[in-house]
Structure formats: C-alpha cells, structure tokens
Amino acid sequence: MDDVTLARFAELAVDFGANLQPGQIVSLSGAPGKERLVRAIAERAYVKGAKFVDLAWFDPWIKRARIEYAADDTIEYVPPWYGDRILAIGRERGAAITLSGPVAPGLMDDLDPVRSGRDRLPAIRETGEVVGRRQINWTILPGPTAAWAELVHPDLEPDAALAKLEEQLLHVLRLDEEDPVSAWKARADRLVEVARKLTERRFDALHYTGPGTDFTVGLLQAVQWQAARFSTADGIPHMPNLPTEEVFTSPDPTRVDGVVSASKPLVLIDGTVVRDLVVKFEKGRVARLDSSTAQETMRTIITRDDGAARLGEVALVDREGRIGALDTVFYDTLIDENAASHIALGRAFPFLTDDEETASRMNESDIHIDFMIGRPDLTVTGITTDGDRVPVLVDGTWQI
C-alpha cells in the first residue's frame, strides 16, 4: 500500500468509520504485521483533534505461550484492568478503531483445543457492555498482512499474494472510488431502507432452507432491524463495520430450531480456523455442534455461560455488495460475514429495542461469534403471526 493509499485508508477509518470528534480519546487496537496501518491511523486521529490515542496490542504468539505452559486454573483469568480500561473509555465517551484480519493463522492448531477455547482474549466482556450502551463511536476495518495474504492466496508468491489481498480489500472498502465516502453513503442508504421494511413487516419468525440448512428462528416483535449506520447515545453517527453489507437484528433466543451449516470457514479472534461447522438447535439452544477442525475448541466456547449456546444475532446479506462477487474466502469474519448471510452465537444487541421487557428477553453472554450460512441457493422466508409465508431473500435478491 503506497503512502497516498495508506493516508486515504486512515482517513476513511478515522473521519468516516469512527467519525472521530475533536477532544475524544481513541482506543486503537493492533497486532504484529499491522504497524504501518496503526501508525497512519494514530497520526490521522491526532490531525483530527484526538485528545489521546490509547494503543491496545495483541500478540498471538504470547497467547500461544500461555495456552501451552500456563497453569490450568489461570487460563480463563483476565486482568480486571483490561475491563476497567474499556469501561473508562466508555465513561469518557471515547472512540474505538480496530484492525481485523489474521496475523498468525493456524498458530494454535497443535495445542489443546479445550484450553484454547477457554482463553477468549483478546475479546473482553466489557466491550459488549460499552457498545450495548452506545457510549463510544467505533469502527472495525481490515488490516492486510503477509500471513493473511498467504492464507487467502496460497497459489501466489508472497509479494503477489499481499498485493492481491490489498487490491481486494481496497475494492471492498470502496477506496478505489474517487469519493469513497459518497459511495458508502449510497450503499448505506439502500441497506437502511431494507432494514426499515423488515422492521415494518414484524415477522414472527424466519425460515432458512438450503444445502445442509433447514432451521427456523423466532423474532421479537419490539426489536428493530438495523444496518450500516449506528449512533451513540450522544448522537454521533458512525459506521461500525467497514465494509458492511448486512441487515441485522437480535432474535428470540428461546425459539431457534433446526440444523444450519456454515458456508464459509470461521476464523476465531486468535486466528483459529473452524471448518465445516454444522450446528443443530433445539428450543433455542445448541444441541449438537460438529466441525472438521477446532471442534473441541468450539464446544468449549459454547459452554462458557448460559447464553453462549444461544443466538444473539441474525443477519441477511444480498448479492449487491462487492465482497461476494469476488468469490474469495477471506478467513476473516468481518469480510466473510458481509459476503453472506450469517448468525451469531452469544451476545444480543439490546440497543435495538426501546422496550425494557423485550431487552430483558434478549440473549446475554460474554461471547459474540458470527458464522456464515449464506450461499446463492439459500432461501429466507418470513413467517407472519398468522402463519403466512412471505419470501424475503431468494437467490441473494430482496423480495420485500
């Protein structure tokens, strides 16, 4: 990425994604291999008037050492000041910018999968609390690395693989447009309109059918669908995900039944790759979970708390976005989940309703793990309270 492109990348993250306001503290998360991107974002943040850029660094090699050698009764320990740090940024009404994308894919593959599943760092429970209270304006966007590029394009030489990945990411970020902000605003307008229509329909449930998938998800009547744009409690608009192509809501965690098959590999936050994931739900809970890799890791994760085996999100993605058209598995949830419809185990989004009783029924958990279920031949049908069936998404095209 040349200097001009790097500057545009940082500007998109700071000015548009997070929509940083003068005087805000910025929580900036990075990892090895992303140093140049992190520094560019920090510089842009100070240009825009940041009070302070607080860098949070995650090194997966250090996590590997912990899983391999630390005492078993310490694996789930999270220093309390990690959570205190996030809560303090929320109280200060700060901003947050995170760079996604694996830096050491497969690094934990030869370790005890149960121990790997018990250590959820760098995920911090308090992050969900602050986001749920809409205290921060935040964004996540992909930060390419050489290791990630080799995973996505193993048939290319390393330099060519990195150049190809950067080209693709700049395309899905719309940074190949003369005015990427205008392009994003137009796409966001479309997604917000679909979310409005879905909210108005007040479906009682969604029924998904496709290869390896036949399941029904109950919906909560007082919960909205949302897309693209968020706003803090203080009224600061921001784009949490760049790129974003999804329309999403939080379902009824007690009414999920059937079998769903992942359409793409899932990459956990520490780089662990989960392939061929198949989940069976009964009365809202995971009754069976199988995968060809990291199976015991996933089975451990969903026992972390009562809500970890229930759904907190359902998201629909059409075929108008830029990601799916590339026909590439990116091994990064931020990218892959915006190429295909997906669901998430764990934490729901209470800010999607103004009704306290409804919010109390939404799923609670320390985790939030998205996995992709969308494919061209997936059909999503809305079921009304009267039992009528209404096509919603067919062949990747909206029917509402």
Side-chain angles (χ1 to χ4, degrees), residues 184-203:
W184 271 119
K185 288 180 177 178
R187 177 57 171 161
D189 287 345
R190 167 64 172 155
L191 295 173
V192 168
E193 175 64 12
V194 172
R196 183 189 64 80
K197 290 180 178 180
L198 283 167
T199 298
E200 288 179 349
R201 295 306 298 262
R202 296 296 178 189
F203 290 118

Side-chain angles (χ1 to χ4, degrees), residues 4 14 78 88 91 95 104 107-108 112 120 149 155 157 162 168 177 200 215 222 235 241 299 308 318 324 330 367 376:
V4 173
V14 174
V78 178
R91 288 193 300 271
L107 183 63
M108 316 294 175
D112 182 340
R120 298 304 305 134
D155 54 325
E157 292 296 320
L162 181 57
Q168 291 178 313
E177 298 274 352
E200 288 179 349
F215 87 124
N241 289 348
R299 288 178 174 177
D318 65 18
F330 284 95
I367 74 163

Side-chain angles (χ1 to χ4, degrees), residues 34 37 39 68 125 151 168 184 199 242 273 278 282 378:
K34 303 180 190 288
L37 300 171
R39 292 164 188 157
E68 189 170 8
R125 176 181 58 81
L151 177 65
Q168 291 178 313
W184 271 119
T199 298
L242 285 173
V273 181
V278 179
E282 292 180 356
L378 179 74

Side-chain angles (χ1 to χ4, degrees), residues 141-157:
L141 68 166
T145 64
W148 183 9
E150 291 183 39
L151 177 65
V152 177
H153 298 295
D155 54 325
L156 299 178
E157 292 296 320

Side-chain angles (χ1 to χ4, degrees), residues 126-145:
E126 288 80 1
T127 301
E129 295 180 15
V130 169
V131 169
R133 292 194 290 264
R134 298 189 298 136
Q135 292 180 319
I136 60 174
N137 36 304
W138 57 281
T139 195
I140 304 174
L141 68 166
T145 64

Side-chain angles (χ1 to χ4, degrees), residues 1-37:
M1 197 180 297
D2 60 41
D3 290 344
V4 173
T5 304
L6 181 62
R8 296 183 80 218
F9 176 92
E11 184 176 340
L12 184 71
V14 174
D15 299 24
F16 181 66
N19 190 16
L20 177 68
Q21 304 296 298
Q24 282 191 300
I25 294 171
V26 182
S27 174
L28 175 57
S29 299
K34 303 180 190 288
E35 292 88 350
R36 191 161 171 255
L37 300 171

